[in-house]
Every structure is written in structure tokens, then in C-alpha cells.
Amino acid sequence: MSYAVGDALPPFVVTSASPAAMRDWSVFLADPNPIHLDVDVVKAKGLGDKRINQGPMNVAFMMNMLLAAFPGARIEAMDSRFLDNVYEGDHLTASGTVTAVDGNHLTCEFQLDVAGRGTVNSGTAILII
Amino acid sequence: MDELPPAPVVAGTSLDGTKLFTITAEENAALCRSTGVEPAIDGSAHPIYYYVATQVAMGKSVAGICETCEFDVDDGPMMGSSGVRFAAPLMVGESYKVTGEILSLVRKLSRKLGVMDVLTYRLRLHPAAGGDAVLETDNVWVLPRKELAA
């Protein structure tokens, strides 16, 4: 399989950000921050009326997109910027593009978009294929 | 900016952990499935464990880091960015330990957030048995300083 600059990566779609997954991640991260668990707390803090996804889970979605695009590859480096929150029920699409090819190293730009709201995460990654 | 009080001096604060983090097959599978994928069959863990393992096994909790920065975690720290460099994949069944430190805390004035402190810290994940780090990660958090709002 060969890759070229400009290649679009197949998107990774999450049809609905899940409160159950947020509960799981509060355990994985040992972080009981109630904005991920309790709508009343989110409202009380003035952050909206839906639970907020943990940021690292959003990074995991983008990693899933990258690893699915290049079976057998591994991520050597990755930088992610957090631009906005993901809320329960959001429809997410992680996508990316090859921006450089150097031997068995690929550089990609990627982003995570929420339907109707735009990009909430973006960044770059280097993969070893 | 000159009239703002300086940010607390915290650069160099150790974040070395004292406990080990083991990536179990059960938790890796649950984590993978919570993100919509099956666990890898080659024994590698989901790479997002770079963040999970370092956060859980570093020497301070998120609330503890905030306290070091004289910031109340209930005031809502926000993730700004996260970067990682892997020297090797993370493996299921392996145990790891964390070293790290706060790199900087810089006070800024944002049009959107008002006064905020930008916290940068670096963590490394090492095999529990010893040896070079398998990854290094830099995380940037934004700490909005509501009490310093104009």
C-alpha cells in the first residue's frame, strides 16, 4: 500500500457521544469530575445542559481514525489541541489528511468535528507504517 | 498586564509518581470498546493510555496540581493541548511508573476568558522494571482566574 500527500483518511464516526462511556472514563482516569456525570452540575456551572465528554476520549477517537486508516501502523507522535467541548448526544466525525511521506513515516493532520458545530479538536500526528 | 499579580512560582515541581500503573487486558478491552473499537490482537494497548496511565499514576491528582497552582479545581481547569512522543508501544499486562514535573505557569490576559494561567507539565512513562521512558507527554491546561477578572 502506498500513500501520497493529500490522501484523505477514511472518517471514524461516533453517532452519539455516550454518557455511559463518560461514566467508564471517569473510572479509567480516576477523575470523578461531575461535569462528565451530572447534568445538574453542568447547569449549575453555566456550562450548558448536557454532560461533557472527557477530553482524552476525544483524542482516542482521533487515534482510532488514524490506526484504522493505516492497519499495522503505530503512532510515533501526536499533538492535539482542544478547541471546544463535546457534549452527550453529539454526532462526531474524526477525519484526516496525509501531509508528508518520508520513508515509512507519515505525517497527518486530523480533526474532530461535531455535526452542526464544527471542529472541536485538531492536530498533527506522525505514524510509522 | 503589568498590574496583574504574578502567577505562583511552580516550575520544577515534581510530579514523580509513587505507584505503578498496570494496563490490564480487561480494562484495555473496556476502554477500546467505549471508543468504538476492539482491542488489538498483538498485545498492544490503546495508545490513549499515554494519557490515562500518566494521569492516574503521576505524583499528584488533577486537583492536587491545581492546588499547587493555587487554583480551585472546582473553578474548572480546561485542557488546552496534549502532545505525546512514543519510543515504544504500550503493552497490555505491563506495569509502568511515572516521572515528571511542572514546566511552567504563565499568567495571560485573554479576550475570551479574561485573566488565565497557562499550565504546562511534562510526564514520562517508564517500565516498572526500569529503563528508558516509553513515552513523554506534555499537557497544557488553562486555569481561568475568575478572581482576577476586571
Side-chain angles (χ1 to χ4, degrees), chain B residues 17-87:
Chain B
T18 57
K19 59 185 178 183
L20 300 181
F21 185 94
T22 301
I23 303 175
T24 68
E26 294 77 13
E27 187 187 90
N28 180 61
L31 182 148
C32 288
R33 289 174 182 137
S34 76
T35 69
V37 297
E38 287 298 307
I41 59 174
D42 64 359
S44 62
H46 196 293
I48 195 57
Y49 270 105
Y50 92 79
Y51 193 95
V52 174
T54 52
Q55 173 161 307
V56 173
M58 67 181 173
K60 291 181 183 288
S61 64
V62 171
I65 291 181
C66 289
E67 184 178 5
T68 296
C69 297
E70 300 175 18
F71 180 80
D72 186 341
V73 71
D74 289 336
D75 285 345
M78 297 179 288
M79 292 184 73
S81 66
S82 181
V84 61
R85 305 287 178 271
F86 291 96

Side-chain angles (χ1 to χ4, degrees), chain A residues 65-76:
Chain A
M65 182 275 298
L66 292 167
L67 295 174
F70 306 106
R74 72 176 180 90
I75 295 169
E76 182 179 63

Side-chain angles (χ1 to χ4, degrees), chain A residues 42-63:
Chain A
V42 178
K43 290 178 181 175
K45 288 180 175 289
L47 298 173
D49 58 2
K50 296 177 181 176
R51 282 162 283 216
I52 299 171
N53 228 28
Q54 289 92 342
M57 189 173 8
N58 303 334
V59 177
F61 296 144
M62 297 184 288
M63 288 174 152

Side-chain angles (χ1 to χ4, degrees), chain A residues 92-104:
Chain A
L92 308 171
T93 303
S95 61
T97 306
V98 176
T99 58
V101 180
D102 182 10
N104 66 340

